[in-house]
Amino acid sequence: MAETPPSSTSHPGNLKYIRYDHSLETKYLPAIRALISKDLSEPYSIYVYRYFLYQWGHLCFLALHPTTEDLIGVIICKLEPHISHSPPTLRGYIAMLAVSSGYRGHGIATTLVKMGIEAMTQRNADEVVLETEETNIPAMRLYERLGFLRSKKLHRYYLNGSSAYRLVLLLKNAEGEEDRDFDAEGMALDEDEIS
Ligand SMILES: CC(C)(COP(=O)(O)OP(=O)(O)OC[C@H]1O[C@@H](n2cnc3c(N)ncnc32)[C@H](O)[C@@H]1OP(=O)(O)O)[C@@H](O)C(=O)NCCC(=O)NCCS
């Protein structure tokens, strides 16, 4: 699907935000793949998208051009029990987020992330986590502005050898939350890392 540059009739404030639904696969999955793979060194296979969208399509949101309905932005999430916590917690995960380059800096990703967080909160998520490349300043700023904290540095996490941060947003005032320990770099430690 062709990328439409912003114009007076397509102010980012006028975009349509919709929840993904399986009936939209034919219309939007190719555009979702194209948008996300543009900024990836290693494109995901179609099965990766289907893994997320078949099970958690209700946690995927699209930003669409108001008239052409071209895809402008997308967020893909999942929500699963995190069994290494005792008692198990419900952990949301932001797997993919992308906004078409001509539309960046207008709050579109912020809106999509808030929609994802809201959908996971409604489904009783305890926390939302994600990984982002340490050099991805726009993504780091976006998530930290929304309250995400750095929980772990993942050295050489990506295939291209670059490192990542795991970020976490705590959604509940779980007991002990304010007692989280921090490492030397001021990052919160996972419970299973605390000796
Ligand atoms: C990271 C990415 C998703 C951000 O998308 P975006 O739509 O530009 O993000 P936003 O507009 O919500 O936020 C970006 C900036 O615009 C600012 N902004 C928010 N609303 C705004 C508005 N109405 N008008 C102008 N600027 C606005 C935000 O304050 C933010 O500034 P910051 O640098 O201080 O955080 C986008 O750069 C992208 O697709 N990158 C490639 C893929 C990627 O890296 N994905 C993340 C992987 S984890």
Side-chain angles (χ1 to χ4, degrees):
M1 211 170 282
E3 183 179 305
T4 313
S7 71
S8 56
T9 56
S10 62
H11 183 274
N14 295 334
L15 296 188
K16 279 167 54 174
Y17 290 89
I18 63 165
R19 190 191 293 269
Y20 180 83
D21 175 87
H22 299 302
S23 64
L24 298 172
E25 176 170 329
T26 311
K27 186 171 181 188
Y28 285 114
L29 190 49
I32 291 172
R33 291 184 70 191
L35 181 58
I36 290 169
S37 61
K38 241 182 207 172
D39 290 288
L40 287 178
S41 48
E42 191 82 4
Y44 298 127
S45 89
I46 184 79
Y47 302 108
V48 175
Y49 292 92
R50 288 192 173 139
Y51 164 76
F52 286 104
L53 295 176
Y54 282 7
Q55 298 181 80
W56 300 282
H58 53 284
L59 300 180
C60 168
F61 295 91
L62 311 178
L64 305 179
H65 187 281
T67 49
T68 64
E69 298 201 327
D70 281 350
L71 184 75
I72 306 294
V74 59
I75 186 167
I76 295 177
C77 310
K78 71 173 178 173
L79 182 61
E80 285 183 314
H82 184 55
I83 50 172
S84 68
H85 279 189
S86 180
T89 53
L90 252 190
R91 174 178 275 190
Y93 180 69
I94 299 179
M96 303 176 206
L97 170 71
V99 170
S100 178
S101 54
Y103 287 85
R104 291 178 188 169
H106 294 282
I108 297 168
T110 302
T111 301
L112 289 168
V113 172
K114 285 180 175 173
M115 291 174 86
I117 292 170
E118 176 60 24
M120 291 187 269
T121 303
Q122 283 173 0
R123 285 163 180 78
N124 214 20
D126 293 284
E127 60 182 1
V128 177
V129 304
L130 62 102
E131 293 90 30
T132 190
E133 211 165 328
E134 64 173 336
T135 54
N136 191 342
I137 305 301
M140 290 292 294
R141 285 176 62 121
L142 165 74
Y143 288 120
E144 292 189 329
R145 190 162 34 77
L146 290 172
F148 284 79
L149 302 171
R150 300 177 190 196
S151 74
K152 201 186 273 187
K153 184 158 179 181
L154 306 160
H155 292 278
R156 298 182 61 80
Y157 182 72
Y158 293 105
L159 285 176
N160 65 9
S162 61
S163 298
Y165 282 112
R166 173 157 307 142
L167 303 182
V168 58
L169 177 70
L170 301 174
L171 297 174
K172 289 183 184 167
N173 278 325
E175 202 181 311
E177 180 207 332
E178 289 180 3
D179 295 328
R180 286 173 75 86
D181 289 317
F182 290 85
D183 70 10
E185 292 171 34
M187 296 194 296
L189 296 173
D190 276 355
E191 278 168 32
D192 50 6
E193 291 181 299
I194 299 170
S195 53

